[in-house]
Amino acid sequence: MQHSAIFWFRRNLFSSLAQTLLTLLLLILILFVGSKLVHWGITDAVFAGDVAECRAAAGACWAVIGEKYRPILFGLYPYNEQWRPALCMVIWFISVVLSLSPKCWHSRFLWPLWGVSLVVMSVLMSGGVFGLSPVPSADWGGLPLTLLLFSGTVIIGMPVSVALALGRRSPLPFLRGLSVIFIEGLRGVPLITILFVAVNIFPLFLPTDMEINKLLRIIVGIALFFACYQAEVIRGGLQSVPRGQYEAAAVLNLSYWHTTTKIILPQALRICLPAVTNHIIAAMKNTSFVIIIGLFDVLTATSAVMQDPQWRRYYIETYVFISAIYIAFGFMLSRYAIWVEKRIDASRTAEGNA
């Protein structure tokens, strides 16, 4: 093991004079910058205390996170009722973990689990029943709102993206043309425009006595925008499936839907899984655009909180904290996608050996 590590270092870091010099320069730069960051973020930092202690410190003031974490994480939600969105996040994480577990992929209880979870989370967030005080969706904010927007985007957008990708490759001219118009139309405008239409323009086309929740319109708008980009990724995967797969299905006299759902689509999704994951991570970050229409996601709530004159100068620490949340979500999604790829490759290898 030791010899293999030495061989790796020699081959990748010290294989030539130029590479050795570059490695040493990068090492010096990392040590210099790293030492500065350690002094600022750990050694000379304040982790608890008031504004006076932070001003006297030479490093970071992490005490601002302890002072402002509740408005950062929960936005405008009533202070005394913030246990409700906190409980919703716990339910959401449990549902996601169970959904991502291979043991639950083919379970008949997965969809009922999500149905019950969504109902419970809606009741907790909205209130008005079971003695819970009502809270309008306009007061929802922070991390629970970000998770809600992200979940709605993926849950609604992924099936729509698959349908659009199949429609764009359909032999029916009308269906193919409709899919092309929809994809190119929504993909050619900024997300801000779609949010503006969902909030201000779409209600003008509804009957006067009909009203659709603003938050629901926003989720659908972001989901359709996400679906148009994802559809092109999935279409690329469909085009990468060898023609022999279609011919083999035709020889077996399989129907179009059986061929698509059981043979073609699983292979296409495996091929384009890295790009699909990339767009899902981007969907997580796109939730911050809701600031345009007055909703306080976790990033917008942070910006609002930092208007406090006493703590305003410590905005770097708060944005580092929020960045860590986004990085953690993105890292976990990417690692899960890599794990799924390895699992698929291992199963294909086992099938080939059999």
Side-chain angles (χ1 to χ4, degrees):
M1 186 70 179
Q2 183 179 2
H3 292 292
S4 63
I6 295 175
F7 176 76
W8 185 92
F9 276 102
R10 285 180 177 176
R11 185 183 62 182
N12 294 279
L13 300 178
F14 303 99
S15 61
S16 65
L17 178 60
Q19 193 171 36
T20 301
L21 291 175
L22 182 60
T23 299
L24 293 176
L25 287 175
L26 289 175
L27 183 60
I28 294 172
L29 180 62
I30 291 172
L31 290 175
F32 176 76
V33 176
S35 63
K36 295 292 185 181
L37 290 176
V38 167
H39 282 292
W40 177 80
I42 300 177
T43 307
D44 300 329
V46 174
F47 293 91
D50 54 16
V51 177
E53 294 181 31
C54 286
R55 290 177 179 174
C61 174
W62 301 114
V64 66
I65 307 300
E67 179 71 20
K68 300 293 185 180
Y69 78 95
R70 291 186 66 167
I72 289 175
L73 293 180
F74 302 112
L76 300 177
Y77 208 88
Y79 188 85
N80 294 330
E81 302 291 334
Q82 288 177 358
W83 63 270
R84 290 156 53 179
L87 181 58
C88 286
M89 287 194 294
V90 173
I91 296 173
W92 184 88
F93 277 109
I94 292 175
S95 302
V96 169
V97 170
L98 291 176
S99 300
L100 299 181
S101 174
K103 296 181 180 179
C104 299
W105 284 351
H106 303 290
S107 174
R108 66 180 65 180
F109 301 105
L110 190 58
W111 286 109
L113 169 67
W114 270 104
V116 173
S117 298
L118 290 174
V119 171
V120 172
M121 288 188 288
S122 298
V123 170
L124 285 172
M125 292 295 291
S126 301
V129 293
F130 304 116
L132 299 174
S133 58
V135 179
S137 59
D139 291 339
W140 299 4
L143 188 57
L145 179 62
T146 298
L147 296 179
L148 175 62
L149 293 170
F150 170 67
S151 303
T153 298
V154 176
I155 292 173
I156 298 174
M158 281 303 298
V160 175
S161 65
V162 172
L164 289 172
L166 295 174
R168 189 156 189 172
R169 288 176 52 83
S170 173
L172 302 176
F174 174 77
L175 184 59
R176 185 172 62 252
L178 191 64
S179 299
V180 170
I181 292 173
F182 189 85
I183 291 173
E184 298 300 335
L186 267 70
R187 200 172 56 156
V189 298
L191 177 57
I192 295 174
T193 303
I194 295 177
L195 294 177
F196 178 80
V197 170
V199 173
N200 298 309
I201 306 300
F202 180 76
L204 300 178
F205 296 93
L206 298 176
T208 55
D209 57 343
M210 182 179 180
E211 182 178 356
I212 300 178
N213 185 270
K214 174 183 176 181
L215 185 57
L216 178 60
R217 301 198 304 269
I218 293 169
I219 292 175
V220 172
I222 299 177
L224 294 178
F225 182 82
F226 164 81
C228 291
Y229 279 88
Q230 198 72 284
E232 289 299 280
V233 172
I234 296 174
R235 185 170 69 92
L238 292 171
Q239 291 177 337
S240 301
V241 177
R243 187 64 190 173
Q245 298 293 319
Y246 294 90
E247 296 172 353
V251 170
L252 295 174
N253 199 26
L254 298 179
S255 65
Y256 170 79
W257 290 112
H258 201 151
T259 302
T260 300
T261 57
K262 301 297 183 180
I263 299 176
I264 304 303
L265 196 57
Q267 296 184 61
L269 291 176
R270 178 185 60 83
I271 293 170
C272 63
L273 182 59
V276 167
T277 305
N278 185 51
H279 280 288
I280 291 176
I281 294 174
M284 177 72 179
K285 296 182 290 184
N286 284 343
T287 57
S288 60
F289 281 96
V290 296
I291 184 178
I292 303 299
I293 37 84
L295 291 181
F296 282 69
D297 72 308
V298 65
L299 185 59
T300 311
T302 301
S303 300
V305 166
M306 294 316 296
Q307 299 304 313
D308 187 340
Q310 290 186 331
W311 297 95
R312 185 182 299 172
R313 61 185 299 181
Y314 307 110
Y315 65 92
I316 294 178
E317 290 84 344
T318 56
Y319 283 114
V320 168
F321 173 69
I322 297 302
S323 298
I325 294 177
Y326 279 102
I327 291 172
F329 274 102
F331 180 77
M332 288 187 291
L333 286 171
S334 64
R335 298 307 301 177
Y336 179 76
I338 293 173
W339 177 81
V340 171
E341 287 186 76
K342 291 181 178 179
R343 182 183 175 88
I344 293 174
D345 292 339
S347 63
R348 293 186 67 195
T349 303
E351 291 175 1
N353 294 335

